[in-house]
Amino acid sequence: MRDVAAKTNNMKQNAVKSVGARRRIRLWTCFMVLFVGWAGYTYIAQSGEIGNKSLQLSERQASKEANEQTLNQLKYELNRLKDPEYIGQIAMKKYGLYKPGEIPVRISESDS
């Protein structure tokens, strides 16, 4: 009788251990599914933000390059304006001013 009672008691303990183990596995699986879902959502959201930021960066780099090119052109023009010969050329072209003793030669465009 003791053997039957011991076997019954042992089977109940094994069943309880088995139920507890299954419950822990289910809890762990649920936790892992939630964690992987959260990680996937975060990854997708951050990928979109990174795409937007990289697009903004490329636009700003293009704008920066254009501004640097304009700045270099202005610096070049400023250096040329320090040259008296260049200033004389501008005066002749834009304002029709000539050095004393120079005779301006103008060529008119005609159809013939």
Side-chain angles (χ1 to χ4, degrees), residues 31-46:
F31 172 75
M32 290 306 293
V33 166
L34 288 173
F35 179 77
V36 169
W38 169 79
Y41 172 77
T42 302
Y43 176 77
I44 291 170
Q46 288 180 356

Side-chain angles (χ1 to χ4, degrees), residues 43-55:
Y43 176 77
I44 291 170
Q46 288 180 356
S47 294
E49 286 295 319
I50 289 172
N52 291 338
K53 296 295 180 184
S54 64
L55 181 62

Side-chain angles (χ1 to χ4, degrees), residues 20-80:
R22 277 190 245 135
R23 184 180 301 145
R24 282 191 299 273
I25 289 173
R26 268 190 259 142
L27 283 172
W28 183 79
T29 305
C30 288
F31 172 75
M32 290 306 293
V33 166
L34 288 173
F35 179 77
V36 169
W38 169 79
Y41 172 77
T42 302
Y43 176 77
I44 291 170
Q46 288 180 356
S47 294
E49 286 295 319
I50 289 172
N52 291 338
K53 296 295 180 184
S54 64
L55 181 62
Q56 288 177 355
L57 177 64
S58 64
E59 289 174 355
R60 289 183 179 165
Q61 284 177 340
S63 173
K64 178 186 173 194
E65 290 174 5
N67 288 338
E68 285 178 350
Q69 185 177 10
T70 303
L71 178 65
N72 289 337
Q73 288 175 348
L74 290 172
K75 284 181 180 179
Y76 177 72
E77 185 70 22
L78 182 65
N79 285 334
R80 288 186 73 190

